[in-house]
Amino acid sequence: MYIEAVPNRNAPPAILLRESYRENGKVRKRTLCNLSNWPTAHVEGLRGVLKGGTVIPAERDAFTIIRSLPHGHVAAALGTARKIGLDRILGPDRCRDLVLALLIGRILAPTSKLAAARALSPATASSSLGEALGLGDVDDDELYAALDWLHQRQPAIETILAKRHLSDGTLVLYDVSSSYMEGRCCPLAQRGYSRDGKKGTLQIVYGLLCAPDGCPVAIEVFEGNTGDPTTLAPQIEKLKQRFGLTHVVLVGDRGMITEARITADIKSAGLDWITALRAPAIKDLLNSDAIQPGLFDQRDMASIISPDYPGERLVVCRNPDLAAERVRKREELLAATETDLAAIKARVERTRNPLRGTAEIALAVGAVLNTHNMKKHFDLEITDTVFSFTRKTDAIAAEAATDGLYVVRTSLAEATLGDADTVRSYKSLALVERAFRCVKTVDLHVRPVYHWLADRVRAHVFLCMLAYYLEWHMRQRLAPMLFDDTDKEAAEALRTSVVAQAQRSSAAVTKQTTGSTPDGLPVHSFRSLLADLATVARNTLTTAIAPLYPLTVLTKPTTIQQKAFDLLGISV
């Protein structure tokens, strides 16, 4: 039996219930019932029954949803990980799946290992991640064992990533950051220069190697009191020995690639470099007339050579906007310092209960100078009963001469890499800084680090780097839906010079001001898009006629969600 719509002249089609049969070897059919007056829902219900379906009672308990887990963001991250082969890079084993769950978990919702174990286990799952990886019950000891397994695999994984993203002759970006630690038991935790603004706290230092496009390749953890230049030699050895690269161009900041490191490490390894000069070195070039202010009357960039840097090229840049900002900031600090010093002077000169004593006056003055960091620009006279101060006009003028100036230093000849490309390569270190912001604060939250064993801390930081590696690839694919600028060439065309401030393309400005993509969809941040995808749920339900046989039904993606899955090239 089947339902057929039969055309009816000058009237809607007739809906007929028909039956086919054979008579004398011929197929014939007859009408059993006219369903034209039935509601459409009833007709479709009967059609489903005729196709082998089952009638479900039209009552409140016809369907019972017994579990609903956020799934869309899991599908996006896990699908991308498999798309880029990250699961194959990690290697075969249950530990591989646990590590994959941990690094995807850091993208979705960073937690401790104990909380991650609860979130992955079926009874306490907070998403479909554990189920999608088929992990079953997970405990924290198993996750710690997976971390130990990851630490052993780190050299092999980094080597594979280097083969993917680095080659001989390419730029390699390197920078260092730090994170403060909890507790006092980790041997790597030492007091050092804190980039988190947490003076006096124990910390670890880690250096990140990236490809020219900012894709992370390798990371290494050092003791918290390790100086930035000291971390450079292990990276050069890693590039030469483990990655097998005979020649690369190392790009590092002025505090990293110092004269000592160039002489002792970089030159001896046969590598080229791009870095910048520190302020005292720039002042020396100004004093020796190697840099003349007249160079920048008609341009903002000039290439010079200096006998102090034999065989090297110095690209001197002057950013007028940066110069104006430094003038403004210095004048504000000088004025604030003078206001506070004038208040101390008034305390010394007042007749009632004046401030007395050289030590007491000096302590008050020192507190002001430390607050504004302007000691170098003031002459002070302090006695038991007198305090006066004046600006050092010559020192202020000398510092003002360097406003907006920076000097990029490289061993590459101009024929190999032009001046503009040299400056652009140095500025690409901003990509490493973006990686640090993402790993430390924005998305992945490397802190708090509660591990005590040194190798576990190293594994934890490496796990965060792998999570950023996955997020980096997701961001590249999802860029049309994000506030990211997808038209880099148009943005570069708007820039008057490589020295000038970077510009956003008109398409990116339109996305930002209207809040809509060219196809009319809302623009998202990476976090808000993940939150939207999480509303695609994995529902487990039963029916009234088969309560012992659960069904899995996924939420139908919205237009926005489907666009994200299409850009990632995955299916829910």
Side-chain angles (χ1 to χ4, degrees), residues 252-435:
D253 66 20
R254 65 197 74 193
M256 179 77 60
I257 302 181
T258 61
E259 185 68 41
R261 298 282 65 80
I262 291 174
T263 302
D265 300 323
I266 300 178
K267 286 183 177 180
S268 60
L271 304 182
D272 285 307
W273 69 90
I274 298 175
T275 185
L277 295 182
R278 306 181 98 169
I282 295 176
K283 289 182 180 179
D284 291 341
L285 291 175
L286 283 169
N287 294 334
S288 64
D289 292 330
I291 299 178
Q292 300 178 5
L295 286 172
F296 305 104
D297 290 342
Q298 302 295 329
R299 53 183 175 176
D300 56 11
M301 181 172 60
S303 179
I304 66 171
I305 57 174
S306 170
D308 295 332
Y309 304 94
E312 299 180 24
R313 181 162 51 102
L314 304 178
V315 183
V316 187
C317 305
R318 185 178 188 276
N319 187 331
D321 295 331
L322 179 61
E325 174 61 20
R326 289 186 175 174
V327 169
R328 181 198 65 79
K329 186 175 181 180
R330 180 171 51 248
E331 187 56 37
E332 283 186 357
L333 290 173
L334 287 171
T337 304
E338 285 180 327
T339 299
D340 292 343
L341 292 179
I344 297 175
K345 189 175 189 314
R347 291 172 58 193
V348 173
E349 294 176 350
R350 67 192 178 192
T351 56
R352 182 178 178 183
N353 193 24
L355 180 63
R356 288 290 182 263
T358 302
E360 287 74 10
I361 297 174
L363 286 173
V365 171
V368 170
L369 297 177
N370 289 336
T371 299
H372 302 297
N373 198 23
M374 287 284 109
K375 179 180 179 180
K376 57 185 175 181
H377 291 325
F378 285 94
D379 279 323
L380 306 173
E381 180 184 355
I382 302 176
T383 66
D384 285 340
T385 59
V386 175
F387 168 60
S388 63
F389 61 92
T390 56
R391 288 190 183 188
K392 294 181 179 179
T393 55
D394 292 340
I396 295 173
E399 183 178 274
T402 65
D403 285 344
L405 280 180
Y406 59 94
V407 181
V408 179
R409 174 187 184 186
T410 181
S411 61
L412 296 171
E414 186 174 2
T416 304
L417 194 69
D419 292 346
D421 289 332
T422 300
V423 175
R424 187 177 292 109
S425 298
Y426 179 74
K427 286 190 171 185
S428 62
L429 281 174
L431 298 174
V432 189
E433 295 173 359
R434 181 183 302 173

Side-chain angles (χ1 to χ4, degrees), residues 114-135:
L114 181 60
R118 289 196 298 266
L120 293 171
S121 297
T124 54
S126 58
S127 73
S128 65
L129 181 56
E131 184 178 348
L133 288 168
L135 295 178

Side-chain angles (χ1 to χ4, degrees), residues 38-236:
W38 279 30
T40 302
H42 291 178
V43 173
E44 294 303 319
L46 179 57
R47 193 192 304 273
V49 171
L50 294 177
K51 290 181 179 180
T54 304
V55 176
I56 297 176
E59 56 188 37
R60 182 178 298 178
D61 296 330
F63 294 96
T64 302
I65 299 177
I66 59 177
R67 193 72 185 276
S68 184
L69 292 173
H71 175 70
H73 57 338
V74 172
L78 183 56
T80 305
R82 289 169 173 164
K83 192 86 173 178
I84 65 177
L86 184 56
D87 55 340
R88 296 189 296 275
I89 292 175
L90 293 176
D93 202 338
R94 173 173 167 82
C95 285
R96 182 271 312 272
D97 293 334
L98 291 170
V99 168
L100 199 58
L102 284 174
L103 68 89
I104 291 175
R106 295 216 74 80
I107 295 177
L108 306 184
T111 60
S112 67
K113 304 304 180 293
L114 181 60
R118 289 196 298 266
L120 293 171
S121 297
T124 54
S126 58
S127 73
S128 65
L129 181 56
E131 184 178 348
L133 288 168
L135 295 178
D137 290 326
V138 178
D139 60 44
D140 52 327
D141 288 335
E142 197 173 15
L143 293 181
Y144 288 134
L147 272 184
D148 297 337
W149 175 88
L150 178 64
H151 177 66
Q152 295 174 358
R153 291 274 303 160
Q154 181 173 352
I157 294 171
E158 290 179 340
T159 300
I160 295 173
L161 295 180
K163 288 181 179 179
R164 279 190 175 189
H165 301 284
L166 301 179
S167 60
D168 278 324
T170 190
L171 296 176
V172 178
L173 311 179
Y174 179 65
D175 206 353
V176 172
S177 189
S178 63
S179 290
Y180 62 97
M181 299 283 286
E182 309 293 338
R184 303 186 303 273
C185 297
C186 179
L188 294 174
Q190 302 291 333
R191 286 182 174 83
Y193 171 67
S194 175
R195 294 160 183 84
D196 299 322
K198 300 288 186 179
K199 294 182 179 180
T201 59
L202 300 179
Q203 66 172 17
I204 56 172
V205 169
Y206 39 88
L208 180 65
L209 284 171
C210 290
D213 54 8
C215 182
V217 172
I219 197 166
E220 187 165 350
V221 180
F222 304 91
E223 292 183 352
N225 57 359
T226 305
D228 292 3
T230 312
T231 69
L232 194 59
Q235 310 311 313
I236 294 175

Side-chain angles (χ1 to χ4, degrees), residues 76 80 83 474 477-478 533 563-570:
T80 305
K83 192 86 173 178
M474 293 180 69
R477 289 161 169 77
L478 294 172
L533 292 175
K563 177 69 177 294
F565 292 132
D566 291 342
L567 289 174
L568 293 172
I570 62 175

